[in-house]
Amino acid sequence: MTQTYQVSQPRDAKLIVEKDVKIPLRDGAVLYADVLRPDIGAERVPAIMNIGPYQKDRLWIPPEDLEEKANPYLAWETANPLWWCPRGYAIVRVDARGSGKSPGQSDPSSYAEAVDFYDAIEWIAKRDWCSGNIGTLGVSYHANCQWRVANLQPPSLKAIIPWEGRADLYRDQAFHGGIFGLGFLHTWVATNMAHNVIGRARSYNPNAFNNNMLWTWANNNLDSEFWRMRSARWDRVEVPLYSVGNWTGVGLHLRGNVEGFMLAASKHKKLRIHSGTHFHPFHSEEGRLDQLRFFDHWLKGIDSGIMEEPPVKLMIRTGGDLKNYKFRFEHEWPLARTQWTKVYLKLDADRQSASAEPEGALLSACPAHSRSITYAASPPSHAGVSSSAPSHASGSVGRTGVSFLSAPMQEDTEITGPMVLVIWVSSSSEDMDIFATIRNIGPDGEDVWEEGQQGGGDHVPVTKGWLRASHRKLDPRRSLPYRPYHAHSERLWLEPSDIVECHVEIWPTCMVFKQGHRIRLDVQPRDGVGASAYRHYHADYNIGAQNTLHAGGRTASYLLLPVIPRIDPQ
């Protein structure tokens, strides 16, 4: 798409750096912030803000292949002042209460933190150097905080760019399908605690990051007001927004961005989804131009042309070749021309294969007769590995569950959108975990991997989904045919004789399965291949249990695929 537009151009302006600016809050507390802004005389500039526990003074050293190069002002997952300030923007980084230099009780991802952010936004907007227009920008945590403050509708907040950040704290991060997301969470908590109480921060704020976060989150293991207060409230998010997700962000950095575009009350919203690590696209020239054009429009009133473009911008993945992926504009999500296609699970075996060979197939027609296959919910681990250890989920056990493989694609086939796995299951235990992995298998029988969020050899499959069987209850008001919404409000325990239908939400994806490639579905009782950092707690109801999958006949199990028909060039 070729279009002429205007954007703010860099000027030769001295950088003003104000360290440890005290921001007063409504309850008498203070937060500390760094303000970096251009010295351009009496001209007032808009501010781009973020708040978080990552310490505003903590320098980030980027990888050598990042398009923005190392400098003394780079901070993790936030905007680069040396790029933004010459273009007429101030950058304001705020240490959240109880972290970095800000004193007080730490409560990450909380309603209270959103209230603090509201106060900080309104205080900064009244500075004599500020135009009164505030935007928010940042990755991951610095995206999630934007959804939460948008709920509160601060008057000076004119636009947000939540770049790869969860929005529903329960469903997007803490409990995937009701299964506790321990793997990433325990590392995150331990790391940020250590940075504050063992690192340099202890010299100026020794009581920082003092919270019982892991226990509190694990203890609130059903959805409740505890989680709603810490999540986006879509009917209250009215500010113009540019929601940015990542296809490889399965487990943290995708679902919330898609839900935000679909459900937020804002009349002015855009969706962008790219691929790769969660820091390279943010700091790319192409990514920064999207950010600049959006803020130029809403914070400066410049005709940047971005709101005249179609609202959806998707990177179309063709399998294992990130450098050659291209963006494509669309007018809605899911795509209006989607051909919703059921592929049915057919079992060819009655027990798990001892090899890596799939036990079943994916077919266009439902098998006439029902068959079942039983597999162990907790296979024996290697020597020295406790059944409760996180490492039990990361290669310490052999292959688990069952797999299904499609026939080779007769032509290049694009799958873009959300998916659902409808599956009939039973167990000898009172509960059962369903881990679904969608894989791209090449003509040589090997996986075609995508570069994951962490970079550096972090290889991930096409997409994933999860569901704890006792959490299978759907919320009919919020469920869509292509995106089930589970209530997570009660547990519907299994009885040994029960065969139940489960609708597993598979996170959105985009993949062109090339001619000769196959779709592989793994259904497992624990984390499968390519789980990366986003692993889960495998609870005691799995120990010694036997799980059974049923397919065909009256127990028709199927995968709903969003097939996008090819558009022939005119």
Side-chain angles (χ1 to χ4, degrees), residues 264-311:
S266 174
K267 296 178 181 178
H268 307 285
K269 50 188 179 181
K270 298 180 71 69
L271 173 68
R272 165 194 164 115
I273 309 180
H274 49 247
S275 198
T277 77
H278 78 292
F279 43 88
H280 283 87
F282 180 78
H283 291 280
S284 70
E285 190 70 21
E286 179 271 335
R288 279 175 285 157
L289 185 58
D290 274 358
Q291 300 161 20
L292 178 64
R293 292 176 65 200
F294 192 74
F295 279 155
D296 272 356
H297 180 95
W298 292 107
L299 303 186
K300 290 187 175 183
I302 294 175
D303 181 16
S304 69
I306 194 165
M307 299 310 294
E308 282 71 56
E309 294 175 354

Side-chain angles (χ1 to χ4, degrees), residues 62-113:
E64 292 184 358
D65 62 348
L66 201 76
E67 290 186 38
E68 291 193 296
K69 300 307 177 185
N71 69 71
Y73 306 105
L74 272 184
W76 177 238
E77 297 180 339
T78 63
N80 176 13
L82 294 188
W83 193 85
W84 283 94
C85 292
R87 288 167 172 80
Y89 289 88
I91 300 297
V92 180
R93 298 168 176 159
V94 185
D95 277 343
R97 195 182 298 224
S99 68
K101 288 184 176 173
S102 294
Q105 177 59 54
S106 169
D107 191 3
S109 300
S110 65
Y111 174 81
E113 185 181 77

Side-chain angles (χ1 to χ4, degrees), residues 437-455:
T437 303
I438 307 296
R439 300 161 66 176
N440 181 5
I441 306 300
D444 59 358
E446 299 296 323
D447 280 275
V448 178
W449 298 109
E450 302 301 314
E451 181 178 9
Q453 292 277 276
Q454 311 303 316

Side-chain angles (χ1 to χ4, degrees), residues 399-411:
R399 178 170 173 263
T400 63
V402 295
S403 301
F404 301 83
L405 195 62
S406 75
M409 297 294 164
Q410 296 301 302
E411 61 180 3

Side-chain angles (χ1 to χ4, degrees), residues 32-44:
Y32 284 88
D34 286 350
V35 178
L36 303 99
R37 55 189 178 88
D39 185 359
I40 48 179
E43 181 180 341
R44 297 188 175 194

Side-chain angles (χ1 to χ4, degrees), residues 487-543:
H488 298 298
S489 58
E490 61 177 322
R491 294 183 177 90
L492 306 177
W493 301 112
L494 299 176
E495 296 291 340
S497 59
D498 286 349
I499 300 175
V500 300
E501 183 183 46
C502 293
H503 293 243
V504 183
E505 178 186 4
I506 308 294
W507 281 26
T509 196
C510 173
M511 181 59 65
V512 177
F513 290 87
K514 294 182 179 179
Q515 183 180 16
H517 286 230
R518 299 171 183 250
I519 299 174
R520 175 166 170 158
L521 166 67
D522 294 343
V523 179
Q524 298 172 284
R526 57 188 60 239
D527 290 297
V529 295
S532 187
Y534 309 107
R535 298 184 179 275
H536 300 80
Y537 168 64
H538 303 296
D540 52 8
Y541 51 76
N542 287 299
I543 299 174

